[in-house]
Amino acid sequence: MNKKRRNLWTPLYGLALALFTLYVVLDAFVIPRSYAAVQNETTASAIVQSVGGGTASQSTTGTTSQSASGTTSQSTSGTTSQSTTGTTSQSTAGTTSQSTSGTTSQSTSGTASQSTSGTTAQSTTGTTSQSASGTTSQSTSGTTSQSTSGTASQSTTGTTSQSTTGTTAQSTTGTTSSSTSGTTSQSTSGTASQSATGTTSQSTTGTAASSAASQTPVVTADSYSDGSIAIQITTYRVDDTDVYVADVTLASADALKTALANDVYGKNITAATSSIAAAHDAILAINGDYYSARSGYMIRNGVLYRSTSGGSDQEDLVVWADGSFEIVTEGSVTAQQLLDRGAWQVFAFGPALVTGGEISVSQGEEVDQAKTSNPRTAIGIIDDLHYVFVVADGRTSASAGLSLYQLADFLKSLGVQTAYNLDGGGSSTMVFNGTVVNNPTTNGTRISERKVSDIVYIG
Amino acid sequence: MSTSVKRGRTLRAWLGTSAFCGLFSAVYEHFSHGVYSNFMIFLFLVPLLGGVLPALLLRLLPRLRRPAAAARRLWNSAVAALTLGTCLTGVFEIYGAPSALVRVYWWAGGALLAAALIAWLRPRRAAHQA
C-alpha cells in the first residue's frame, strides 16, 4: 500500500515562528528586566600615588574602606604621618588631585566618613597638622579647590558634619589655627569663596550650626521660589501649538536631578512622569530620554549605567557637576571618560537643538524618521544655573505640535545657549507641584500620561 | 493533488500575503504620527519578490528546473522568516527601540534560503537505479 507521508514541516515551522515572534514582541514591550549599572562592576580606572622626598608613614587600625572612581592623583613630599583609628570610609568620584609639601600630620580617631564627587584639587605647602576625634563626616559635590600655604593647624573634637555643594574655592596664606569642640554642622550650597591672608585664628566651643539653605517656599499655580530654587511656568502659542516653558534658576546644580521609574535601571520598567516626580518630591519634572527604548551612553546622578554606544554620530547631552551643559558625540568620547571628567548626567536622545546660541538642526532634520510636527520635550541652558524646561503639545485639534526646527527656533528666541531634544510624542509631559501642566497624548490623540523610563526634575 | 494545482495555490498564497503586508504597513504608517520606516514601507516587496515572483517564473518558464518538495518548503520558510523579520524591524524602528532578537530572523531566513538553493540545484538521484 502506498502510504501518504504527512507534511509536518509546515505546521511545526509555523508554530515555532509564531512562538518566537510572540517572545520577541513580549521581550521588546512587556517583560520587565532590571540590569546592573556599569559603574558597580568597574573599579578605579586610574589611581596614581607617588611619595617622594622624605618619610611617609601611615598607620591604620580598625575598619577602613576606600573607593575611588575616575582619575585620582596624589603626590606627597617631605614628612607625612597619618594615623587612623576606628572606622574610616572614603569615597571619591571624578578627578581628584592632591599635592602636599613639607611636614603633614593627620590623626583621626573614631568614625570618619568623607565623600567627594566631581573635580577636587587640594594643594598644601608648609607644616600642616590636622587632628579629628569623634565622628566626622564630610561630603563635597562639584568643583572644590583648596590651597593652603604656611602653617595650618586644625583640631576638631566631637561630632562634625560638613556638607558642601557647588563650586567652592578656599585659599589661605600664613598661619591658620582653627580649633573646634562639641557639635558643629556646616552646610553650604552654591558658590562659596573664602580667602584669608595673614594670621587667622578661629575657635568654636559648644554647638554651632551654620547653613546657607532655603527660605520658606512661596508657591503659586505657576511659580515656585524658596531662595535657592526659582521656577516660573509660562505658556506660549507657537506655530499653532501650546508650548509650556519652565524658567528655572538654581543656587546650586545639585537641585537638577534625574530619576528612574521605580528607581530601577532596566528594560520595560516604566511609570508615569507624575508618579516618579511624586516619589522624589519633585517641584518640577519633565520626561527624560526614555533610556530603555534607546541605545547610547547613560549616566544619571553620577552613576554610569550604560557604556555601550548608540553610534559614533549619536549626540549626547552632558550635564557636568557644576550644572553646565555640553553636547558631545559618542564617537569622540567614551562613557567612562565622561564619568571620569565629572559628568553628572548624560542623555542619549537628541539631536542637539541649539549650540553656542545658534540653531543646530536643519529644517529637514528629525528624530530618526519623524518628519512631521509632534509633541516635544527639550531642556536648555540660558546662563550659569539658569535653565528652561520646555514641553510642546501636539497631535490634538488644539495643538499641531512642533518640528525640531520650530522647537529649536523657539528655544533660540528664549536666549538659550545649549538645548537638547528629549523623548517626545506621547511621552512629552511636564509636572509642576504634582499637577500635569501640558496635555500628554498617549495611544494617539487620547489625553493621558504615558509611562516612561525616567524623568528630569528639580527638587 | 497535482503539482500545478499546488503551484497555483502557492502563488495565490503569496499574492494574498503581499496584499496583506501592503495594507498592514499602510495602516501602521497612518497611525505612527509621521514616524516612518523603510522596512515597513517596503514590507510588501519581500513576499512579492520572494514568493510571487519565483512562483510566476516557474509557471511562465516551463523549462526551468522544477524544485523538489523539500526545496519548496525551505524556500517558503525562508521568505516567511524574512517577511516577519522585515515587519518587526519596521515596528521597532517606528517605536524607536532596537531589538537584538530580530537578527535571528535574518540568520534563519538566510540559512533557509541557502539550504533551499542547494536543495534545488544539487543533482537529483535517479528514481530507479539498476
Side-chain angles (χ1 to χ4, degrees), chain A residues 2-244:
Chain A
N2 190 13
K3 201 172 177 182
K4 193 179 177 186
R5 286 173 63 191
R6 284 191 64 193
N7 169 26
L8 287 176
W9 170 259
T10 306
L12 285 178
Y13 178 75
L15 184 67
L17 210 56
L19 288 175
F20 181 70
T21 303
L22 181 68
Y23 175 73
V24 171
V25 172
L26 290 176
D27 176 73
F29 301 115
V30 181
I31 301 169
R33 286 197 176 88
S34 62
Y35 302 127
V38 173
Q39 193 183 45
N40 292 346
E41 301 161 4
T42 311
T43 52
S45 61
I47 296 179
V48 180
Q49 188 168 29
S50 110
V51 179
T55 309
S57 170
Q58 187 173 33
S59 170
T60 306
T61 307
T63 308
T64 302
S65 171
Q66 188 172 32
S67 168
S69 282
T71 308
T72 303
S73 174
Q74 188 173 33
S75 173
T76 307
S77 288
T79 306
T80 302
S81 175
Q82 187 173 34
S83 173
T84 306
T85 307
T87 307
T88 302
S89 175
Q90 188 173 32
S91 174
T92 307
T95 307
T96 302
S97 176
Q98 188 172 34
S99 174
T100 307
S101 288
T103 306
T104 302
S105 175
Q106 187 174 33
S107 174
T108 306
S109 289
T111 306
S113 175
Q114 187 174 32
S115 174
T116 307
S117 288
T119 307
T120 303
Q122 188 172 34
S123 174
T124 306
T125 307
T127 307
T128 301
S129 176
Q130 189 172 34
S131 175
S133 288
T135 306
T136 302
S137 175
Q138 187 173 32
S139 174
T140 308
S141 284
T143 307
T144 303
S145 177
Q146 188 172 35
S147 174
T148 307
S149 288
T151 307
S153 175
Q154 187 174 32
S155 174
T156 305
T157 306
T159 306
T160 302
S161 175
Q162 187 173 32
S163 174
T164 307
T165 306
T167 306
T168 303
Q170 188 172 34
S171 174
T172 306
T173 307
T175 307
T176 301
S177 176
S178 171
S179 175
T180 306
S181 290
T183 307
T184 303
S185 176
Q186 187 173 32
S187 174
T188 307
S189 285
T191 305
S193 178
Q194 188 174 32
S195 178
T197 306
T199 306
T200 303
S201 179
Q202 187 176 29
S203 177
T204 305
T205 306
T207 305
S210 168
S211 175
S214 346
Q215 303 165 0
T216 308
V218 179
V219 184
T220 68
D222 57 4
S223 70
Y224 176 97
S225 177
D226 69 0
S228 58
I229 298 171
I231 300 169
Q232 178 66 50
I233 311 278
T234 309
T235 305
Y236 294 82
R237 186 74 181 166
V238 182
D239 295 314
D240 296 325
T241 301
D242 287 331
V243 182
Y244 308 88

Side-chain angles (χ1 to χ4, degrees), chain B:
Chain B
M1 198 182 289
S2 71
T3 312
S4 61
V5 172
K6 275 187 180 175
R7 224 175 280 146
R9 209 172 63 179
T10 305
L11 179 63
R12 283 196 301 276
W14 282 124
L15 267 174
T17 306
S18 303
F20 175 79
C21 287
L23 190 70
F24 177 81
S25 53
V27 172
Y28 204 92
E29 288 290 354
H30 179 74
F31 289 106
S32 62
H33 303 288
V35 184
Y36 76 86
S37 162
N38 284 329
F39 285 93
M40 189 59 82
I41 289 171
F42 299 111
L43 170 64
F44 71 99
L45 281 179
V46 184
L48 195 69
L49 296 176
V52 175
L53 188 67
L56 264 180
L57 287 175
L58 285 173
R59 175 171 279 200
L60 298 174
L61 303 172
R63 292 171 71 180
L64 204 64
R65 184 191 177 105
R66 305 285 111 181
R72 281 203 311 273
R73 283 181 196 135
L74 286 169
W75 182 270
N76 289 337
S77 301
V79 179
L82 294 173
T83 305
L84 263 176
T86 307
C87 180
L88 286 174
T89 305
V91 169
F92 291 139
E93 272 200 352
I94 289 170
Y95 182 66
S99 173
L101 289 172
V102 175
R103 280 179 289 188
V104 174
Y105 291 99
W106 307 121
W107 294 336
L112 288 165
L113 218 56
L117 286 172
I118 290 167
W120 181 46
L121 295 173
R122 74 173 178 178
R124 286 181 196 168
R125 282 181 299 181
H128 301 287
Q129 283 184 330

Side-chain angles (χ1 to χ4, degrees), chain A residues 5 94 215 252 305 325 380:
Chain A
R5 286 173 63 191
Q215 303 165 0
S252 161
Y305 285 100
F325 283 12

